[in-house]
Amino acid sequence: MHLDVLDLRHFYYRTRLGRAAQKAVRDKLVELWPETKGRTVAGFGFAVPLLRPFLRDARRVIGLMPAPQGVMHWPAGMANVSVLVEETLWPLDTGSVDRLVVLHGLETSENPNALLDECARVLGPGGRAVFIVPNRSGLWARRDGTPFGFGRPYSLRQLEAQVTAAGLIPERHVAALFVPPSENKFWLRFGGLIERLGQRLSRSGGGGVMLLEVSKQVPARPRTGLAERVQRPLRVLEGVPEPTAAGRMR
């Protein structure tokens, strides 16, 4: 079940905890993708809070919001680039996306396998996607006061198995949100320090969310026809017999 777009907007843009979570996850995403110049970047679910750093250099940025969730204008103060879509039927050409971010999309989907197939369809050869999901063993998945407390949390192995079944190749993973999901001023004040310490201690086990980067690789087409075998190769490089006299002089 998808969350409501109004609740998501309120959390990420109106609460201190939501803004802190937005920054922590976005910083890790930018570390994975520091360069998107000339590329098409899309986000599905409620990924728009993470897409703003790409607006300056990317060729195109698109926010895809599922119909059960609802849609909002984004980015604020600029021409709208967000669109309402069916969860497994996006208005994008096959292979048209270079970078794809999925946030609050996979764990809340009623048909995650079909959603992953759609992700694979729109990605171009060599394209990359990052799936951001609640960590099953983390604190954020156990609290329903944030959007990460809804839907199905994942372990890293579960997530890798599901994306692999869709033909996507897991490349690397990182974690974020090591700070507890609390509005307490102490945790908010030292959240940045706790986040840095958590990154040093664990790549995925202790974070509230996991970021799994995957790639789409298209195998080369096999050559058509049969290879012709040369049965009698030319021997032009083997030399010729030593010449002999045709006859004696008389």
Side-chain angles (χ1 to χ4, degrees):
M1 180 182 68
H2 288 280
L3 298 170
D4 188 271
V5 68
L6 297 179
D7 295 330
L8 291 165
R9 181 177 64 178
H10 175 78
F11 174 74
Y12 281 107
Y13 293 104
R14 299 289 186 268
T15 69
R16 293 183 62 189
L17 180 61
R19 290 194 295 269
Q22 176 186 158
K23 182 181 185 308
V25 177
R26 187 175 60 202
D27 287 350
K28 299 308 297 181
L29 179 63
V30 172
E31 285 183 18
L32 292 173
W33 296 342
E35 176 60 56
T36 58
K37 186 175 181 179
R39 300 183 184 276
T40 295
V41 180
F44 175 77
F46 196 74
V48 290
L50 311 182
L51 301 183
R52 183 169 286 275
F54 307 125
L55 286 172
R56 183 179 60 182
D57 296 328
R59 182 169 66 92
R60 182 181 294 114
V61 177
I62 307 167
L64 305 166
M65 300 191 181
Q69 168 191 290
V71 67
M72 73 176 197
H73 182 284
W74 186 86
M78 300 174 63
N80 178 62
V81 299
S82 65
V83 59
L84 192 69
V85 302
E86 293 296 333
E87 185 180 62
T88 59
L89 187 62
W90 301 350
L92 298 176
D93 292 336
T94 298
S96 61
V97 174
D98 301 302
R99 297 289 184 268
L100 174 65
V101 183
V102 179
L103 173 65
H104 302 308
L106 184 61
E107 75 273 15
T108 56
S109 173
E110 295 181 358
N111 195 344
N113 292 330
L115 174 59
L116 288 170
D117 288 341
E118 187 69 354
C119 293
R121 182 188 70 82
V122 302
L123 279 176
R128 300 260 172 163
V130 168
F131 295 94
I132 304 166
V133 298
N135 185 354
R136 190 178 67 177
S137 62
L139 294 176
W140 289 70
R142 305 175 190 179
R143 293 281 302 274
D144 58 7
T146 79
F148 296 103
F150 294 85
R152 300 177 301 275
Y154 283 84
S155 68
L156 179 61
R157 181 173 297 181
Q158 289 172 334
L159 184 57
E160 288 181 334
Q162 196 161 26
V163 299
T164 300
L168 299 169
I169 302 174
E171 297 288 350
R172 52 183 172 168
H173 65 274
V174 294
L177 299 186
F178 290 88
V179 65
S182 172
E183 291 278 1
N184 185 282
K185 293 182 179 180
F186 173 83
W187 297 117
L188 292 174
R189 180 179 179 182
F190 294 100
L193 175 61
I194 296 173
E195 197 71 22
R196 290 190 294 272
L197 291 175
Q199 296 294 339
R200 293 183 179 182
L201 296 175
S202 173
R203 296 181 61 193
S204 61
V209 299
M210 295 182 296
L211 294 82
L212 176 65
E213 183 188 32
V214 303
S215 65
K216 177 181 177 179
Q217 303 296 333
V218 178
R221 294 182 179 179
R223 295 181 178 180
T224 58
L226 296 176
E228 183 179 354
R229 180 179 298 177
V230 179
Q231 300 293 340
R232 295 182 179 180
L234 296 176
R235 301 183 182 277
V236 296
L237 301 180
E238 294 183 3
V240 295
E242 185 176 346
T244 59
R248 293 184 178 180
M249 295 293 292
R250 292 186 178 180

